[in-house]
Amino acid sequence: MIEQLRKDFPLLQNLVDEQPLCYFDSAATTQKPQVVIDAVNQFYHQENANVHRGAHTLSAQATTKYEAVRDKLAQYLNVQRNEVVWTKGATDSLNLLAYGLTNILGQDDVIVLSPLEHHANIVPWQQAAEKTGAKIALLPVSKEGVLDQSAAIELIRDTKPKIISLCHASNALGNIHDVKQLIEASKPYGTITVVDGAQSFMHLRPDLKALDCDFFVFSAHKALGPTGVGGLYGRYDLLNNLPVYQTGGEMIDTVSFTGTTFRNAPEKFEPGTPNICGVIGFGAALDYLTSLNKNELLAYEQSLHQYLLTRLRQIDGIKIWGDNKNNIGVVSFTYKNEHHFDIATLLNSYGIAVRSGHHCTQPLMAHLNITGTVRVSLAFYNNQQDIDSFIAALMETIEMLEE
Ligand SMILES: Cc1ncc(COP(=O)(O)O)c(C=O)c1O
């Protein structure tokens, strides 16, 4: 089945620097299936028009198609269509949230984050804390980069946070967090719970009603869709009560020089012309993803992850970071004192696309006492042969570095 699916991704068939491509950077952005490329192409070839405001046929068709994707997304996440806001991506969604929630913070309040967060889930909250005097508390993480779940629950009990914002899966290490249990633990304190689903949206396909979070953010480009589009889910009352973030056309009810009134969520958070083509392309990605069996894909990704771990563990001097049991299929490693960038650059000369550096998680790297890692991030379109090619290239890379 996977060999058939791989054919849906044109870039995987290409040569890069005259080598077959082994793409291991899906945590940064996934490759796109032909159906997404076709949807984007078709929009600009045959359907292009602005949405919501035209009486003409193309505008009406674009509006119908664009709004239908909101339904697909709501279904994918198991929420209501008016609970999802289109944004530019996870970063944009987190900024919207931190800006909106600044209103409820005061100097006696605590925002709980973890050292594993992406900068996008740190800096907006830091800004909110600076403006309000609220404190940031961090969930305990081991020296290997694994969240201590029972100590995390204890910290929530001790700090009774106003807001808790956590990644469902870590982009740097791949760890999957039991956010449901942490959300439950924070319920008695009326904590607002935010889940950064940038890395879990595609691999775990979370059911947000079951997760019971208040807010959830994600980016389409990490789930087979185009860049520049993503979303924010919010429990409707909480979402609708957030103050407007950006203002302009479309999000208003009435405008006059004596005052302006705003629409309700989600429209009140969607000013201006949206990324129509991006949303429509994402609709094709959602159709593609949901046509595939979730459990089968996840089991395949997990078996590939185990194979990669087994092969890597056979190489002396490799140190693998993070939680290797509950993991979306990311392996972050260092090799002795060799620089991660040198390893990644040498691997690239064999057609192996990995990422190196701090992965926008500088506080995590500081916690692990390293400057960065080499990150291999898998998706269901990788296969065992990719991993074999990677291991062979890594062995040669190590040989060169040790010369
Ligand atoms: C866990 C996590 N959160 C947030 C982001 C930010 O996503 P974007 O750059 O698409 O806004 C990323 C991107 O890597 C991520 O992995």
Side-chain angles (χ1 to χ4, degrees):
M1 171 183 93
I2 295 301
E3 289 317 305
Q4 205 50 42
L5 291 185
R6 279 170 69 85
K7 295 193 184 122
D8 295 336
F9 292 80
L11 224 140
L12 295 182
Q13 326 303 325
N14 281 7
L15 298 181
V16 175
D17 295 338
E18 294 166 24
Q19 315 248 24
L21 170 67
C22 293
Y23 188 75
F24 291 123
D25 201 16
S26 294
T29 198
T30 58
Q31 290 302 341
K32 316 304 170 199
Q34 188 64 48
V35 284
V36 170
I37 299 164
D38 288 346
V40 168
N41 236 322
Q42 185 177 321
F43 180 77
Y44 284 127
H45 267 103
Q46 292 164 19
E47 301 164 351
N48 179 49
N50 209 336
V51 288
H52 295 149
R53 44 194 116 154
H56 62 88
T57 304
L58 281 181
S59 175
Q61 281 172 353
T63 304
T64 305
K65 215 163 168 181
Y66 170 82
E67 284 300 334
V69 186
R70 203 189 296 274
D71 289 317
K72 283 179 197 173
L73 174 62
Q75 205 173 357
Y76 184 92
L77 295 172
N78 191 23
V79 297
Q80 302 299 316
R81 62 169 276 121
N82 63 355
E83 295 177 312
V84 288
V85 176
W86 291 119
T87 66
K88 288 185 282 187
T91 303
D92 194 27
S93 304
L94 286 163
N95 275 278
L96 187 165
L97 267 181
Y99 173 84
L101 293 172
T102 298
N103 277 353
I104 65 156
L105 290 169
Q107 57 185 4
D108 296 328
D109 292 324
V110 173
I111 304 167
V112 164
L113 306 174
S114 89
L116 286 145
E117 301 312 313
H118 188 283
H119 295 162
N121 196 26
I122 298 175
V123 187
W125 301 114
Q126 255 175 351
Q127 295 285 305
E130 273 174 28
K131 279 187 207 139
T132 58
K135 308 282 175 302
I136 291 178
L138 296 177
L139 296 180
V141 166
S142 75
K143 280 198 289 204
E144 302 296 307
V146 183
L147 190 72
D148 181 337
Q149 186 78 0
S150 50
I153 291 173
E154 229 165 89
L155 184 129
I156 290 169
R157 286 190 188 133
D158 289 347
T159 55
K160 304 177 179 46
K162 196 83 170 189
I163 298 168
I164 174 164
S165 189
L166 276 186
C167 56
H168 199 180
S170 151
N171 66 302
L173 308 179
N175 307 359
I176 299 171
H177 295 139
D178 186 350
V179 285
K180 185 172 167 56
Q181 201 184 34
L182 299 177
I183 290 166
E184 268 166 26
S186 68
K187 288 273 177 219
Y189 315 112
T191 307
I192 291 184
T193 53
V194 181
V195 176
D196 176 353
Q199 295 295 335
S200 66
F201 184 95
M202 179 179 80
H203 297 284
L204 306 179
R205 298 195 206 172
D207 173 335
L208 299 192
K209 279 285 170 281
L211 211 56
D212 205 17
C213 56
D214 294 320
F215 294 102
F216 180 92
V217 306
F218 68 92
S219 293
H221 72 95
K222 293 185 196 286
L224 314 183
T227 49
V229 64
L232 165 69
Y233 154 79
R235 205 187 285 281
Y236 192 76
D237 288 351
L238 286 175
L239 180 67
N240 200 35
N241 280 333
L242 288 178
V244 294
Y245 177 50
Q246 290 179 328
T247 53
E250 285 290 298
M251 49 81 70
I252 53 85
D253 213 2
T254 59
V255 180
S256 77
F257 283 105
T258 53
T260 293
T261 57
F262 305 120
R263 296 171 75 183
N264 284 326
E267 288 83 6
K268 81 186 242 190
F269 301 111
E270 296 178 349
T273 300
N275 185 346
I276 305 164
C277 184
V279 167
I280 288 173
F282 185 44
L286 289 174
D287 286 343
Y288 181 85
L289 266 180
T290 49
S291 74
L292 305 173
N293 183 293
K294 167 183 167 174
N295 295 332
E296 267 174 35
L297 282 198
L298 189 60
Y300 174 74
E301 286 179 345
Q302 295 289 309
S303 69
L304 216 51
H305 180 235
Q306 283 311 311
Y307 180 67
L308 172 59
L309 285 171
T310 307
R311 296 291 314 270
L312 263 178
R313 284 181 181 133
Q314 288 161 352
I315 304 174
D316 274 352
I318 294 278
K319 161 106 184 126
I320 301 167
W321 299 89
D323 184 344
N324 298 318
K325 291 200 189 81
N326 301 303
N327 198 293
I328 51 166
V330 170
V331 174
S332 226
F333 70 91
T334 45
Y335 175 73
K336 298 183 179 168
N337 287 326
E338 298 295 345
H339 202 278
H340 38 84
F341 184 73
D342 294 341
I343 298 174
T345 306
L346 286 168
L347 286 172
N348 181 53
S349 64
Y350 295 91
I352 311 289
V354 294
R355 189 151 287 245
S356 75
H358 55 64
H359 317 298
C360 291
T361 57
Q362 284 182 8
L364 175 64
M365 296 300 134
H367 178 84
L368 303 178
N369 203 18
I370 53 179
T371 58
T373 67
V374 179
R375 182 184 72 182
V376 181
S377 54
L378 302 171
F380 62 84
Y381 45 66
N382 288 116
N383 62 11
Q384 200 159 314
Q385 200 184 329
D386 285 340
I387 294 176
D388 292 339
S389 306
F390 160 69
I391 294 289
L394 182 63
M395 302 288 267
E396 291 190 26
T397 294
I398 286 174
E399 229 171 86
M400 269 186 270
L401 288 169
E402 304 240 306
E403 261 169 19

